[in-house]
Amino acid sequence: MRRGVNGAAWVAVLAAVGLGMASAAFGGEAEGPRPAIIPQPVSMDVRAGQFRFTPATRIVAEGAAAGEAAKLADALAPAMGCRLQRTAEAGPNTVALAIDASLEASAGGEGYVLEVAADRVTLKASAPAGLFYGIQTLRQLLPPAVFSPAKAADTAWTVPCVRIVDRPRLGWRGLLIDPARHFIPVADVKRFIDAMALHKFNRLQIHLTDNEGWRVEIAAYPELARVGSQMDRTRRRTGGKAPPRFGFYTQADVRELVRYASARHVTLVPEIEMPAHTGAAIVAYPRLSLTPGALADLPPAERWRKVRGVVAPRPATVAFLQDVLAEVVELFPGRYIHIGGDEANTNHWKTSDEMQAQMRRLGLADVHALHSWFIRQMDAFLAKRGRRMVGWDEILQGGLAPGATVMSWHGAEGGITAARAGHDTVMAPTSHTYFDYYQGPREAEPRALGGFIPVEKVYRFEPVPKELTGDQAAHVLGGQAQLWGEFIRDARHREYMAWPRAAALIETLWSPPAGRDEGAFLERLARHLKRLKAAGIHFRPLDAPGA
Ligand code: TNX
């Protein structure tokens, strides 16, 4: 780590921003410094002059562009104190949004071309997602006060004249939240999605089940949520200090979250953990356990102390969990369903006569093969329903299921192995993307799981391992950071752990790697944080103690 050097660099960056450094130092051609867009667009040509939004500015949009135009009006309304109206014809003082199918080849579905001239703004994309991302860039071109949820007085709503051509480097730009450990109310999930969307993240993995809680209503097995959401395990882990966060998402809650996320071009990726991290399910349904008898006699509140957190992978358990997945598939329309697959203590299977007999019956050589047998049935079940199964990299042990996408968390190795075998992968290594780890000196930070991943380190994350050939690299769908919830108690704390590190991550996933420049990024980030401040999003300040 070059912490000493970074510390010194920081003082210079912060001083420069504080003094409103002259435009020339930032290479800006027009008035003011070059716009600080995060993630950095593919190309940005800044010209002289500016466009000014006024209450008389009109938005032009037809057909599929109209939905995105309404989101632009919604985004500007609180701070401007007025909602811009639509008009039929592009002319002076208009912002015109249009779907242009011919951009598909150059911009893909998420890219856009944004042109700001002194008298009008034109935004084009081949699909609504591209328009949405162009709008996010346009918001960042405005003064930071535009992110304020309340009317910002005395602000000139100007945008520098620019031409921006942009598209993401990678398609899976994810974050993980963990309501299993500390339940996250629906309103807080929405808040988190808003912050993601303004940074152009597009996947939110929700870790819905674990030893500490089951957080989604399953109609076929009502005890999962009823009993499994009321456990007190996380509290024990935090030494009894944190209040318990009980709760679960009803199916109506899930539908609302899916709708909310999809309006912001975020796909929810539900994670239903199996065969391990299943303590809450076993407490609710002891028949999933290797030793059901010992549990069933206890009252549910006593059971979790005896639960080993791994199910018995017998055919009845497979059927049970497939019933669960059948409902999950109905609730979550996204293509990817995550089945966990990590950290199974298979010793419990080794010492079980029942499992040894089952392995002989199925001709499985060892417990890894048993794990793989179990996971393959989930893969086949999801594939039949047109979905793709995702699992943590332990699903490689004992042989990969044919349709599996591997989420590589023990470093890059799992992803490299998967890509070489022709499987898709998402890079989520503990080295750079575990945002439950410390981001500053321990004594100055809220208690975290361990580790040390400061924002500069996140910015050095390279999601596409250089070991891969071009064809293999095409299997790297993207990357994802994890906000595991053992110690994250509420929305404010979650935001503190997420930002600004996720701002660094998104740039590694969206922007061309050739343009990566840590010093320039940190300078842009200091200015970007004014937007988060205006939006009321909590973050770790760049000048926090020990930075
Ligand atoms: C490992 S990453 C886990 C999680 C923990 C996390 C804490 C993974 C697949 N499993 O259950 O929350 O470490 O950093």
Side-chain angles (χ1 to χ4, degrees), residues 320-341:
F320 182 105
L321 290 167
Q322 288 180 341
D323 289 345
V324 169
L325 289 181
E327 290 190 34
V328 168
V329 161
E330 286 302 310
L331 285 170
F332 292 89
R335 187 162 180 233
Y336 293 91
I337 307 285
H338 204 300
I339 53 76

Side-chain angles (χ1 to χ4, degrees), residues 436-478:
D436 56 335
Y437 290 6
Y438 285 98
Q439 52 187 324
R442 287 183 189 218
E443 56 287 359
E445 292 294 307
R447 181 164 173 199
L449 194 110
F452 179 59
I453 305 184
V455 63
E456 296 86 351
K457 174 140 195 214
V458 178
Y459 193 72
R460 289 174 214 144
F461 175 50
E462 175 41 55
V464 183
K466 57 180 180 335
E467 293 88 339
L468 298 178
T469 65
D471 285 351
Q472 294 164 349
H475 286 293
V476 178
L477 302 180

Side-chain angles (χ1 to χ4, degrees), residues 253-305:
D253 288 339
V254 171
R255 291 201 178 89
E256 169 59 13
L257 283 174
V258 166
R259 182 203 64 76
Y260 192 90
S262 134
R264 287 151 186 81
H265 298 279
V266 171
T267 302
L268 300 184
V269 180
E271 181 184 1
I272 304 292
E273 271 273 19
M274 60 186 84
H277 289 275
T278 40
I282 297 171
V283 166
Y285 289 94
R287 66 180 195 251
L288 300 171
S289 158
L290 279 160
T291 53
L295 293 172
D297 296 341
L298 297 170
E302 300 295 318
R303 284 178 197 157
W304 66 262
R305 289 168 217 277

Side-chain angles (χ1 to χ4, degrees), residues 176 178 181 205 207 210-212 237 271 273 277 338 340-343 391-394 407 409-410 428 430 434-437 449-450 482-487:
L176 174 150
D178 178 8
R181 270 56 178 265
Q205 181 168 338
H207 186 71
D210 212 302
N211 295 330
E212 293 88 345
R237 195 146 179 174
E271 181 184 1
E273 271 273 19
H277 289 275
H338 204 300
D342 59 309
E343 297 182 320
W392 299 108
D393 53 37
E394 284 93 333
M407 205 166 255
W409 72 284
H410 291 95
T430 52
Y434 268 46
F435 290 2
D436 56 335
Y437 290 6
L449 194 110
Q482 287 44 253
L483 289 146
W484 294 111
E486 287 94 335
F487 297 98

Side-chain angles (χ1 to χ4, degrees), residues 133-262:
Y133 294 133
I135 289 169
Q136 303 318 311
T137 298
L138 182 57
R139 291 171 80 193
Q140 294 196 15
L141 290 168
L142 279 153
V146 76
F147 289 89
S148 166
K151 186 171 171 167
D154 305 323
T155 307
W157 301 111
T158 57
V159 179
C161 291
V162 285
R163 180 179 157 83
I164 294 177
V165 180
D166 201 9
R167 66 177 299 170
R169 177 182 178 200
L170 294 164
W172 186 302
R173 303 181 300 278
L175 292 173
L176 174 150
I177 54 171
D178 178 8
R181 270 56 178 265
H182 282 91
F183 182 64
I184 307 173
V186 170
D188 290 352
V189 179
K190 290 183 175 178
R191 222 186 121 79
F192 195 77
I193 291 171
D194 287 341
M196 288 176 72
L198 83 85
H199 292 90
K200 307 184 175 94
F201 278 98
N202 67 353
R203 298 275 185 278
L204 176 60
Q205 181 168 338
I206 310 191
H207 186 71
L208 287 166
T209 68
D210 212 302
N211 295 330
E212 293 88 345
W214 184 284
R215 308 297 183 192
V216 60
E217 177 188 9
I218 298 298
Y221 301 110
E223 302 291 280
L224 285 172
R226 200 184 65 78
V227 172
S229 68
Q230 301 296 317
M231 295 167 55
D232 207 1
R233 258 184 107 139
T234 303
R235 200 151 108 102
R236 302 215 126 218
R237 195 146 179 174
T238 52
K241 282 195 212 101
R245 293 274 185 269
F246 296 152
F248 64 89
Y249 306 113
T250 64
Q251 298 206 343
D253 288 339
V254 171
R255 291 201 178 89
E256 169 59 13
L257 283 174
V258 166
R259 182 203 64 76
Y260 192 90
S262 134

